[in-house]
Amino acid sequence: MNHKQHMQQLAKLLAYILEKRPDEFGLIPDEEGFVSIKELLKALAETDGWHHIRRSHINELLLSQVEAPVEIREHRIRGKTRGRLPSPRPCKEIPKVLYTCIRKKAYPVVSEQGIRPKAGTPVICTHDRQIAERIGRRKDNNPVILTVHTAKTADHGVEFLQLGENLYLADFIPAQSFTGPPLPKMPEKEAEKEKKEKMDAHRRKAQGGSYTVEAGDIDPLREKEPKSKKGKGKKKEPSWKQEQRRNRRR
C-alpha cells in the first residue's frame, strides 16, 4: 500500500468513527458532533495498524484531499456527514451488569463517595469489559475496573442514557451500587499519619470553642500577708482614781 492509498484508508476509518460508530471506540461526541483530537488519537493508538497516527497525519489528510470527510475546529474534530451519528437516548433495556474504570489513585475516595465525574462529563460504562479497560487505560496505565449493578443504581434514582450499541452514560454512580477489587493496603507510616490526623481533628472538634488553660498562663498565687495585730493599749483611768492615787503617795 502506497502513501496515497494509506491516506485514503485513514479517511475511511475517520469517517466510520466520527460519522457512524464513535461508541465502538469509546468516544462521546458533543452536541455539535465534535470529539477531542487527543482522545481520537488515543483510540486510534489502540487499533491494529493505526498506532502511528499523529495530528500531523490528520492535517495532511485535510490538505491532500479536496473532499476530506472530517473538519477540525481548534482541538476538536468531527465528521462532515453526521446523519447516522448516534446521540444519547433513554435506555429501553439495560444490562444487569456494566463496567467502568477509574484511576487507581482515586479508588479509596470513590469507594466511599461514589463516582463523581467533572461537571459536564458523564460516567462512561459499557457491557463489554474489554472496551471498559481500553477506555480506562487512556487515563491510567493500571486502572481499577468496577462492576456496576444497574438494579442498585436504579434504587438510588440513577438513570442511564445509551450511546450507540456499547456505551451507557450516567451523571453519578453511588458507592453502594458497584463492586471492585479489595482496597490496597496503606503503608504503615501513612496509616499512622492518617490515624494521628483523625485523632487531632477529633480532639479539636471535641474542644469546640473552649480555651485550654496552660500552666504558664496562671500567675503564682501570692501568700496572703497576715493581718497586723494592733496592740491592746491600757484603758485610761478615771480622774478620781488618779487623784486618789496621788493623795496616797503624799
Side-chain angles (χ1 to χ4, degrees):
M1 183 185 299
N2 58 36
H3 183 69
K4 182 178 180 181
Q5 291 174 330
H6 182 74
M7 296 304 291
Q8 290 175 344
Q9 290 298 318
L10 176 60
K12 290 181 179 181
L13 176 62
L14 293 180
Y16 176 77
I17 297 173
L18 298 174
E19 296 178 352
K20 299 177 182 179
R21 294 300 306 275
D23 61 293
E24 187 177 325
F25 295 81
L27 298 173
I28 304 175
D30 62 17
E31 295 179 353
E32 297 179 293
F34 285 101
V35 300
S36 164
I37 294 178
K38 183 178 180 180
E39 292 300 313
L40 173 64
L41 293 176
K42 288 180 180 179
L44 290 174
E46 301 163 356
T47 307
D48 292 339
W50 302 100
H51 306 277
H52 64 287
I53 297 298
R54 300 292 182 267
R55 172 72 182 265
S56 58
H57 294 93
I58 299 176
N59 292 339
E60 182 183 350
L61 175 66
L62 294 173
L63 293 173
S64 61
Q65 293 194 8
V66 179
E67 296 296 331
V70 296
E71 56 185 356
I72 289 177
R73 184 181 298 173
E74 296 179 350
H75 302 293
R76 300 180 299 160
I77 186 171
R78 70 177 179 182
K80 288 183 177 179
T81 305
R82 299 182 297 279
R84 297 175 61 183
L85 182 67
S87 57
R89 65 185 187 277
C91 298
K92 293 183 179 180
E93 294 182 4
I94 188 168
K96 294 181 179 180
V97 170
L98 296 174
Y99 301 98
T100 188
C101 283
I102 59 171
R103 297 177 187 272
K104 186 176 181 180
K105 187 177 180 180
Y107 188 29
V109 176
V110 167
S111 64
E112 294 182 358
Q113 302 180 8
I115 309 175
R116 299 177 181 273
K118 295 180 181 179
T121 304
V123 182
I124 304 175
C125 301
T126 175
H127 59 82
D128 190 319
R129 187 184 180 95
Q130 291 184 346
I131 294 178
E133 291 176 346
R134 283 173 52 192
I135 297 173
R137 281 194 293 268
R138 296 173 191 173
K139 298 181 179 180
D140 192 320
N141 291 330
N142 189 23
V144 176
I145 188 164
L146 303 176
T147 302
V148 180
H149 305 277
T150 55
K152 291 184 178 180
T153 60
D155 292 340
H156 288 82
V158 176
E159 295 182 357
F160 285 92
L161 294 177
Q162 185 174 357
L163 179 67
E165 298 179 9
N166 297 308
L167 302 185
Y168 297 84
L169 315 177
D171 295 329
F172 168 65
I173 304 294
Q176 299 81 1
S177 62
F178 62 79
T179 55
L183 286 169
K185 290 185 178 180
M186 188 179 297
E188 187 175 349
K189 289 184 178 180
E190 292 186 12
E192 291 179 358
K193 181 179 178 182
E194 183 178 0
K195 182 178 179 181
K196 185 177 182 300
E197 290 176 351
K198 288 183 178 180
M199 291 179 64
D200 291 342
H202 179 73
R203 190 178 295 111
R204 288 193 297 269
K205 185 177 179 180
Q207 289 178 350
S210 62
Y211 174 73
T212 304
V213 180
E214 303 291 344
D217 296 337
I218 305 175
D219 292 334
L221 297 176
R222 296 181 179 179
E223 295 184 1
K224 295 183 179 179
E225 297 180 359
K227 293 182 179 180
S228 58
K229 296 181 180 180
K230 295 181 180 180
K232 294 182 180 180
K234 295 182 179 180
K235 293 182 179 181
K236 191 175 182 180
E237 294 180 337
S239 58
W240 60 272
K241 281 190 176 184
Q242 294 178 6
E243 183 64 25
Q244 189 178 21
R245 186 179 292 110
R246 283 194 297 269
N247 288 337
R248 283 200 298 269
R249 288 175 182 172
R250 291 175 183 169

